[in-house]
Amino acid sequence: MLISDSHEFIFVQMRKVASTSMHTVLQPLCLPPPTGRMAHIKSRARLEWNYKKHLFRTHDDILAARRRMPATSFERYFKFAFVRNPWERLVSEYHYILSRPEHGRHSRVSKLSGFRDFIRMQIPRREAYQLNMLCDRKGALLMDFVGKIENLQADWATVCSTIGIPCQSLPRRNETSYGRYQDSYDQAGIDLVAEHWAAEIERFGYSFGA
């Protein structure tokens, strides 16, 4: 997560939606992360409630900001994120983890019998659902703008215009090669995603083919 006081925005960084590239452009505008062992300990133990001193994780959800920011600032700041077709996002994350032996879940994922088992592994994980990162506990969306990676350039231009910066081309970071995501699925896998990711499929207007 990135928070900028100078440009008054909160950027919720989702996994596998070009967030690393956006971070590269936006980070110089944002609060510097606190340094030192004590800052890390207090943040991880949830003892630091000043958002300027809290060490946010890269993929913290929007509630992490709301809990620590003054309500007036949280409401005023432009809150945005980008999402991706959940069928493709799962494929991208699967191949990303497999391609990085240093990843914390590489060993477990590499022992799975196939991609469908990875889908099942993701089902109980709260952070596997994009809506969980962007909503309150009752399911109300807390964001001002949710762009789509499928419409990346136009939606990124909207973000840049809103926060008042030139629209820069996004550098390529952490790209994963896997071909057509549809080829990773059998009907059972398609149905699993349709069932468990139904809320965000409906909210963001996705389908298996698009």
Side-chain angles (χ1 to χ4, degrees):
M1 175 180 291
L2 293 176
I3 300 176
S4 172
D5 284 340
S6 61
H7 289 67
E8 297 193 342
F9 68 74
I10 303 168
F11 173 42
V12 177
Q13 296 180 239
M14 313 287 279
R15 289 178 172 86
K16 308 313 298 171
V17 292
S19 288
T20 302
S21 299
M22 297 179 206
H23 182 283
T24 302
V25 175
L26 298 173
Q27 195 277 330
L29 309 174
C30 296
L31 296 169
T35 58
R37 184 167 178 268
M38 187 53 64
H40 179 84
I41 291 173
K42 290 179 68 176
S43 296
R44 295 290 76 84
R46 298 188 176 185
L47 298 175
E48 180 57 74
W49 294 100
N50 183 339
Y51 78 100
K52 297 177 186 288
K53 298 180 180 179
H54 181 77
L55 184 61
F56 289 96
R57 296 178 301 171
T58 301
H59 298 294
D60 264 331
D61 60 33
I62 189 61
L63 291 176
R66 190 173 75 166
R67 283 191 290 264
R68 291 169 178 85
M69 295 181 69
T72 53
S73 297
F74 181 82
E75 291 300 322
R76 186 175 73 252
Y77 282 24
F78 178 62
K79 299 169 285 292
F80 69 95
F82 279 73
V83 296
R84 187 176 197 173
N85 185 316
W87 280 282
E88 183 167 14
R89 183 170 176 263
L90 285 160
V91 173
S92 179
E93 186 164 10
Y94 175 66
H95 287 282
Y96 177 80
I97 293 172
L98 285 179
S99 68
R100 284 162 173 76
E102 72 279 6
H103 194 283
R105 290 192 291 150
H106 173 81
S107 178
R108 182 182 177 191
V109 171
S110 64
K111 294 174 183 176
L112 298 175
S113 62
F115 174 63
R116 199 196 307 166
D117 281 352
F118 177 74
I119 299 173
R120 292 193 181 98
M121 189 180 85
Q122 292 295 88
I123 287 170
R125 301 182 73 243
R126 183 180 183 276
E127 60 269 30
Y129 301 88
Q130 296 170 109
L131 273 180
N132 287 344
M133 305 293 290
L134 308 177
C135 295
D136 65 18
R137 297 297 182 183
K138 296 181 179 180
L141 190 67
L142 299 179
M143 311 305 293
D144 298 307
F145 181 76
V146 179
K148 291 184 175 181
I149 195 171
E150 296 84 4
N151 194 39
L152 180 60
Q153 294 306 320
D155 288 348
W156 172 243
T158 296
V159 168
C160 292
S161 174
T162 303
I163 66 177
I165 65 171
C167 185
Q168 305 177 42
S169 296
L170 292 171
R172 295 177 179 270
R173 297 285 190 274
N174 292 341
E175 286 190 301
T176 306
S177 178
Y178 48 80
R180 293 177 69 254
Y181 75 86
Q182 293 94 337
D183 295 337
S184 296
Y185 285 89
D186 57 15
Q187 190 60 50
I190 295 171
D191 293 343
L192 273 176
V193 177
E195 176 185 356
H196 292 278
W197 279 265
E200 64 188 57
I201 289 168
E202 180 178 2
R203 175 69 68 94
F204 301 126
Y206 283 118
S207 64
F208 177 67

